[in-house]
Amino acid sequence: MRSGVIAQKVGMTRVFTEAGEHVPVTVLRLANCQVVAHRTKDKNGYVALQLGSGTRKPKNLTKADRGHFAVAKVEPKRKLAEFRVSDDGVIPVGAEITADHFVIGQFVDVTGTSIGKGFAGPMKRWNFRGLRASHGVSVSHRSHGSTGGRQDPGKTFKNKKMAGHLGVERVTTLNLRVVQTDVARGLILVEGAVPGAKGGWITVRDAVKKKLPKEAPKPGKFRVAETDATSAEATPAEGERSASAEAQTAQGA
């Protein structure tokens, strides 16, 4: 089981196929999505990755949060999320997941927070048909009608479909196909609509009801931070270190 990613919804557009057909897609941007911490069976009882995306000013964080990011040697993140993975799906801390983590043609599940609609009536919220629009109904055409019984039970049961707050809920859309990926700009284009408003944070993971393609990289596609690579290149090898030491000894003699 591979890790998912945290992305930001940019908006919708369309792409054209070779046959000239247009495909509506939602553009998702990976805003420096990095691994912040690991969850292990010995310490936490399960295996997972904590990912962070976006940026925040250190002055707006608590001292505990600043220390948490300092241990991982990553910049403070605006959004954090955990993804359960298998033992062979662990990615090093500090690694940045790239857009080619998902391959073209595979299906993904997208989770986000739906757009808030405020206080909505029963026709908008529950698709009620409303009351009759002819004689006998006065200024209540869009009402939901009766809400309970008479003296028995003498109350309205919980979870009754009535007017109320609509939106701002956790919504998961299944089986969206990946149409294109842009590694340089960190973009993932998926076919169809994604829950949430523009600029909202969403999570993208491999579809649970579709088979993972063989071309999908395991444990994932990522790049290590440049600071680590630079320090590794700057550190001399054992042979080089011993040779330089011998040269200095010979010069001193």
Side-chain angles (χ1 to χ4, degrees):
M1 184 166 57
R2 305 193 314 159
S3 171
V5 298
I6 305 174
Q8 192 173 20
K9 181 177 178 179
V10 179
M12 291 198 69
T13 183
R14 62 178 178 176
V15 296
F16 289 91
T17 63
E18 296 180 356
E21 299 176 347
H22 88 277
V23 180
V25 296
T26 303
V27 182
L28 310 176
R29 181 173 66 91
L30 298 182
N32 195 18
C33 184
Q34 289 181 283
V35 180
V36 177
H38 288 165
R39 300 289 184 259
T40 60
K41 287 185 178 180
D42 297 336
K43 187 176 181 180
N44 307 104
Y46 62 98
V47 180
L49 299 179
Q50 186 187 57
L51 269 59
S53 187
T55 57
R56 290 192 68 184
K57 295 181 179 179
K59 69 182 184 68
N60 294 333
L61 298 175
T62 62
K63 189 174 181 180
D65 289 339
R66 289 197 297 268
H68 181 65
F69 292 117
V71 170
K73 297 181 180 180
V74 298
E75 295 181 353
K77 302 297 182 182
R78 179 166 296 277
K79 183 69 175 179
L80 293 175
E82 281 191 12
F83 296 91
R84 291 286 187 100
V85 297
S86 55
D87 294 334
D88 58 350
V90 178
I91 300 176
V93 174
E96 180 183 354
I97 301 180
T98 55
D100 51 352
H101 180 76
F102 302 103
V103 296
I104 297 176
Q106 86 164 96
F107 292 89
V108 294
D109 296 340
V110 180
T111 302
T113 303
S114 62
I115 298 176
K117 305 289 186 178
F119 190 93
M123 295 182 69
K124 182 178 179 65
R125 192 184 187 195
W126 301 109
N127 297 319
F128 282 9
R129 71 173 185 177
L131 273 62
R132 297 182 62 184
S134 60
H135 299 288
V137 178
S138 176
V139 200
S140 58
H141 305 286
R142 297 181 63 88
S143 65
H144 48 66
S146 60
T147 59
R150 302 176 69 177
Q151 184 174 355
D152 184 18
K155 65 176 182 179
T156 301
F157 290 103
K158 290 184 178 180
N159 301 322
K160 174 69 177 177
K161 292 182 178 180
M162 300 171 64
H165 185 268
L166 176 61
V168 196
E169 295 179 340
R170 179 184 173 93
V171 178
T172 300
T173 304
L174 304 178
N175 303 332
L176 296 181
R177 184 173 62 91
V178 177
V179 178
Q180 287 184 10
T181 58
D182 189 337
V183 180
R185 295 187 291 178
L187 301 179
I188 303 174
L189 277 62
V190 297
E191 181 180 359
V194 170
K198 295 180 181 179
W201 295 99
I202 62 172
T203 57
V204 187
R205 66 190 75 202
D206 299 331
V208 296
K209 295 184 178 181
K210 296 285 186 179
K211 189 176 181 180
L212 183 67
K214 296 181 180 179
E215 301 81 17
K218 297 180 180 180
K221 200 73 172 184
F222 57 90
R223 54 171 171 255
V224 184
E226 296 179 358
T227 55
D228 297 341
T230 305
S231 61
E233 294 175 359
T235 305
E238 293 296 334
E240 297 176 357
R241 188 180 304 170
S242 59
S244 60
E246 291 177 0
Q248 293 177 1
T249 305
Q251 291 178 0

